[in-house]
Each structure stands twice: as C-alpha cells, then as structure tokens.
Amino acid sequence: TGRMGVHLCAAWANAGYDVMMCSRKKEKAQDIVDELLSGKGYQKKVTGANAGQGDYCVPPCEAGDWKLRAGDNAEAADADMIILGTMYEQAWPILETIAPAIKGKGKTILDMTNPFMTRPDGYGAGLPSDGPQAGILIHK
C-alpha cells in the first residue's frame, strides 16, 4: 500500500491481470482498492516526516473490469507472484511470517526493496557497509 505498490497494482489491474493489493492490515488495502475501483484513481499527499519524497498519483480511469481485490500479508502467500514492496528493513521479517506458506511451492518473488535512501522516519539505512549486494545475499 506504499507508493510503488499502489501504482504497480493499478497498472497491472488496468492491463488485465488478477491483482491482490496486500498490506499488514487488509482494511488499509481495501480503502485504496475501493477508491481505485470507483474510477477516481488514487491521490494522496505524503505528509509528516516523509513529505516531499513523492506523493500517490494514480490518475482517474475506467476500472469496471479490473480484477483487483484487497488482502493482508498472509493472503499474499496464495499468489503465484509476490511483489515485495515494503521498506527494506521490513522485507525479511515479512518473508519470515509467510515462509511456511510459500517455501517449496515455486513462488516467484519480485523484491523491489532497496536500502539506498535514508528517510526522516528512520527507515532506509543506506547501503550496507560492504557495498551493494543482491537481495538474496543481504537477507541470508
């Protein structure tokens, strides 16, 4: 339900894919899904500590035939492809919670987290001291 996830879910739903937008709390995802499915798009100004780091701006469009629904992180484990679009520091803890449901089941995981930008809210620790590495090595 962050900026990248919302935009990707909208783009893929618009392209005809069956998409589940997930969050720690399903209600948060449901509010966004309802707004998108209304055809109004989704606009949200980022305020507080992270203001100025980009806003949500999914333009209005016809969404009547979208296959978009909301779920929580546990429900994400049912998908064939899981998009990990959370803060870098939260990636591994989230994967650990769904690991029993996905391990050995041939799931594809697209990890779009990165540690590069330090954020005012404390997330984004910057590059590891030994330099950039593939996510699989960082999360070993």
Side-chain angles (χ1 to χ4, degrees):
T1 52
R3 289 184 314 257
M4 296 290 291
V6 168
H7 286 87
L8 282 174
C9 284
W12 285 331
N14 192 48
Y17 291 95
D18 186 357
V19 178
M20 183 186 317
M21 181 184 298
C22 296
S23 187
R24 287 180 293 277
K25 295 184 185 239
K26 183 177 182 174
E27 297 77 18
K28 181 178 180 183
Q30 188 65 60
D31 289 343
I32 297 169
V33 165
D34 290 345
E35 187 84 6
L36 289 168
L37 291 176
S38 76
K40 298 177 192 173
Y42 185 72
Q43 321 296 316
K44 179 181 171 190
K45 184 126 183 99
V46 176
T47 60
N50 293 323
Q53 295 192 9
D55 297 324
Y56 295 77
C57 188
V58 176
C61 67
E62 176 55 45
D65 60 346
W66 285 13
K67 295 177 274 183
L68 177 64
R69 63 191 189 283
D72 60 24
N73 288 344
E75 290 175 280
D78 294 333
D80 295 327
M81 177 183 278
I82 299 166
I83 312 302
L84 191 57
T86 190
M87 284 89 61
Y88 175 76
E89 293 83 358
Q90 293 298 318
W92 197 242
I94 287 171
L95 285 173
E96 286 177 324
T97 64
I98 65 171
I102 65 174
K103 190 173 183 179
K105 296 191 176 147
K107 304 287 183 173
T108 299
I109 299 175
L110 174 69
D111 181 357
M112 64 179 190
T113 62
N114 74 62
F116 301 112
M117 184 174 78
T118 301
R119 293 174 20 164
D121 63 1
Y123 286 103
L127 287 173
S129 60
D130 55 350
Q133 301 177 39
I136 195 70
L137 293 177
I138 292 172
H139 297 305
K140 228 177 185 180

